[in-house]
Amino acid sequence: MENKQHVILVRYGEIALKGLNRHTFIDLLVKNIRGALSHLESAQVEKIQGRIIVHIDDHELNQGIDAVSRVFGVVSLSPATVLPSDMTAIEAAVVEEADLRPFDSFKICVKRSDKRFPMTSPEIARHLGGVVLKHYDGQGKKVKMKGADREIWVEVRESAYVYSDFIQGRGGLPVGCSGKAALLLSGGIDSPVAGYMMAKRGVKLEAVYFHSFPFTSERAKEKVVDLGRILTRYTGHFDLHVVPFTDIQTKIVEVCPERQTTIIIRRFMMRIAEEIAKKTNCLSLITGESLGQVASQTQESLAATGGVVSMEVLRPLIGMDKQEIVEIAQDIGTFETSILPYEDCCTIFVPKHPETHPNRKKIAQGETKMMDDAEEMIQKAVEETETIHL
Ligand code: ATP
Ligand code: MG
């Protein structure tokens, strides 16, 4: 059977194509699938009418399925046998597919897009149903149109594809089709989920982490690097910018009213993130803020922090409960790392009575002692930022 090979048949959402250039979408998806498979030697990605096909050796098939299922824009996938579109070959492949797992009832589903094939779809289905019944003669197998134990699919194109497993993809849009945005990535639970959600809408990420060494340890930074690496399984490679934040944070704590320090620290993070975003061609900032979750996430606080930048601030978690966020973090594999107990720079100088309804004017007043050399401090932090390619 040297003509027979295993492939991964990849389906993308036709609905997702609305409003986007179809070819751009598919080409980007192919590129991202290639990227996700670059660690597998045998994988070859091919674009055919309405589908993407991954040719891959059997020993790498499961790893390949795993990687492709995480690429945004993929709706579902099936490991399939590909063979010449010739009836004798198809019969053998269908019987082999049927033999993979026990069943009582079955159904043959046929999609014929090669209209040169000499039989219609219903004719092919009936014929192959007969072949399977004959193969299991005397074992009481039944054809069932609705609710069959096994559905065996046959797609007749230039080649024929036979399969019976469907694996869910994550949907969404291919990363890169919605431009770039800078994710403020801390070591917490929320910001990795926020990055995941925007990447799912096609946004390519840059990540920015504010590091206050020695108040935050090398381990805290490693944790953020680890979280970023987990995200790359969905987003592809991106850069993590580690901003030295100690001087600014220390000065804020020294010269600003205690009640306002959290908000003012967040305002400086936004300002610096915007500078890095501009330098890296990002159109927006992304944070993991959720309305009312903590004192710095009331409507007034969000206005006071978002108000210092002119870029759009995307907050995909804004209307979500903590539990819903935790469930996504568990699903995408960031939760276990996020809950490791390394201190975050926002938690080390927490005021006893933080301002929850900051008035923008008062915050600006509280900040005045920072503003003499804010420009220079921000520039210095940006210049001394370390970039790590993930
Ligand atoms: P998270 O779980 O994402 O840390 P949080 O609930 O702890 O969020 P805050 O600490 O108030 O909330 O931070 C709100 C948002 O600000 C975070 O989601 C993140 O986007 C950003 N942020 C906070 N600290 C940092 C940091 N050290 N570096 C980069 N971004 C940060
Ligand atoms: Mg945090």
Side-chain angles (χ1 to χ4, degrees):
M1 279 229 155
E2 65 278 350
N3 281 335
K4 201 194 70 179
Q5 279 174 0
H6 291 124
V7 296
I8 306 169
L9 197 75
V10 183
R11 300 178 196 83
Y12 41 83
E14 292 297 323
I15 298 159
L17 295 178
K18 261 192 192 167
L20 286 171
N21 179 313
R22 203 191 148 78
H23 290 288
T24 313
F25 178 101
I26 297 168
D27 289 347
L28 195 53
L29 186 56
V30 167
K31 180 173 161 248
N32 293 350
I33 290 174
R34 283 205 178 108
L37 292 168
S38 59
H39 63 297
L40 300 179
E41 244 167 44
S42 71
Q44 295 285 340
V45 184
E46 183 196 2
K47 184 169 79 172
I48 62 167
Q49 186 64 38
R51 296 261 187 277
I52 294 166
I53 304 291
V54 180
H55 299 268
I56 193 161
D57 288 353
D58 284 0
H59 74 281
E60 290 184 331
L61 183 66
N62 287 337
Q63 280 171 282
I65 290 171
D66 208 40
V68 176
S69 71
R70 283 194 294 260
V71 176
F72 293 128
V74 172
V75 168
S76 71
L77 46 154
S78 295
T81 305
V82 59
L83 55 158
S85 67
D86 151 271
M87 192 41 93
T88 317
I90 296 173
E91 286 169 4
V94 165
V95 165
E96 209 170 293
E97 187 74 28
D99 270 338
L100 288 179
R101 280 191 302 280
F103 63 95
D104 292 321
S105 58
F106 73 100
K107 177 186 178 183
I108 307 282
C109 309
V110 178
K111 227 184 205 149
R112 184 187 62 134
S113 51
D114 182 358
K115 301 299 173 200
R116 295 166 308 178
F117 196 81
M119 296 161 82
T120 64
S121 298
E123 284 168 359
I124 299 170
R126 224 172 303 127
H127 173 76
L128 291 171
V131 169
V132 172
L133 286 173
K134 193 168 159 222
H135 175 70
Y136 293 104
D137 197 19
Q139 294 182 36
K141 308 282 184 207
K142 286 204 171 56
V143 175
K144 209 169 166 186
M145 283 302 130
K146 269 202 179 132
D149 298 340
R150 293 286 302 280
E151 276 189 1
I152 297 171
W153 283 78
V154 179
E155 292 193 17
V156 183
R157 302 165 174 273
E158 249 169 60
S159 299
Y161 301 86
V162 176
Y163 57 88
S164 56
D165 285 334
F166 284 79
I167 294 141
Q168 280 273 325
R170 290 187 173 257
L173 302 174
V175 167
C177 77
S178 304
K180 276 215 292 183
L183 167 69
L184 282 81
L185 181 64
S186 71
I189 295 169
D190 304 329
S191 46
V193 173
Y196 168 86
M197 286 178 69
M198 293 323 301
K200 187 174 175 187
R201 297 311 301 162
V203 173
K204 197 166 163 50
L205 302 181
E206 293 278 335
V208 184
Y209 165 59
F210 295 91
H211 188 46
S212 293
F213 189 78
F215 306 116
T216 47
S217 65
E218 200 56 27
R219 291 303 305 268
K221 173 176 145 188
E222 282 308 313
K223 177 178 162 182
V224 175
V225 170
D226 289 345
L227 286 170
R229 288 226 169 89
I230 298 171
L231 278 182
T232 64
R233 295 181 200 158
Y234 306 91
T235 63
H237 297 290
F238 61 84
D239 283 343
L240 169 67
H241 305 273
V242 180
V243 181
F245 199 51
T246 318
D247 292 351
I248 292 178
Q249 188 161 5
T250 313
K251 185 163 178 202
I252 293 171
V253 173
E254 264 170 36
V255 305
C256 298
E258 196 206 352
R259 281 166 64 84
Q260 298 180 344
T261 51
T262 306
I263 296 282
I264 295 174
I265 286 171
R266 306 267 309 110
R267 279 160 71 97
F268 274 84
M269 284 186 182
M270 298 300 266
R271 291 178 174 118
I272 295 171
E274 187 179 43
E275 288 303 308
I276 293 172
K278 282 184 197 155
K279 274 176 72 168
T280 53
N281 299 318
C282 292
L283 300 172
S284 313
L285 303 178
I286 304 169
T287 72
E289 290 160 314
S290 158
L291 189 63
Q293 196 189 80
V294 287
S296 58
Q297 296 174 19
T298 61
Q299 284 202 61
E300 292 90 336
S301 301
L302 295 174
T305 51
V308 299
V309 294
S310 56
M311 267 186 190
E312 193 66 31
V313 181
L314 305 175
R315 300 180 176 98
L317 312 186
I318 197 70
M320 291 172 73
D321 290 345
K322 191 74 186 188
Q323 188 50 34
E324 295 173 293
I325 301 168
V326 164
E327 277 164 25
I328 300 178
Q330 285 168 331
D331 174 50
I332 66 176
T334 51
F335 184 74
E336 292 299 318
T337 304
S338 288
I339 59 173
L340 293 174
Y342 307 119
E343 67 298 326
D344 178 70
C345 72
C346 288
T347 54
I348 35 183
F349 303 107
V350 186
K352 274 187 223 81
H353 303 288
E355 185 69 77
T356 50
H357 301 285
N359 164 309
R360 269 201 240 187
K361 239 178 162 172
K362 277 195 191 146
I363 293 287
Q365 260 167 27
E367 218 176 44
T368 42
K369 286 190 186 147
M370 285 300 292
M371 295 327 268
D372 309 337
D373 60 351
E375 198 78 3
E376 292 86 65
M377 288 190 98
I378 290 172
Q379 281 318 316
K380 183 163 178 276
V382 171
E383 272 158 30
E384 289 173 4
T385 290
E386 173 200 8
T387 297
I388 303 172
H389 185 64
L390 302 181

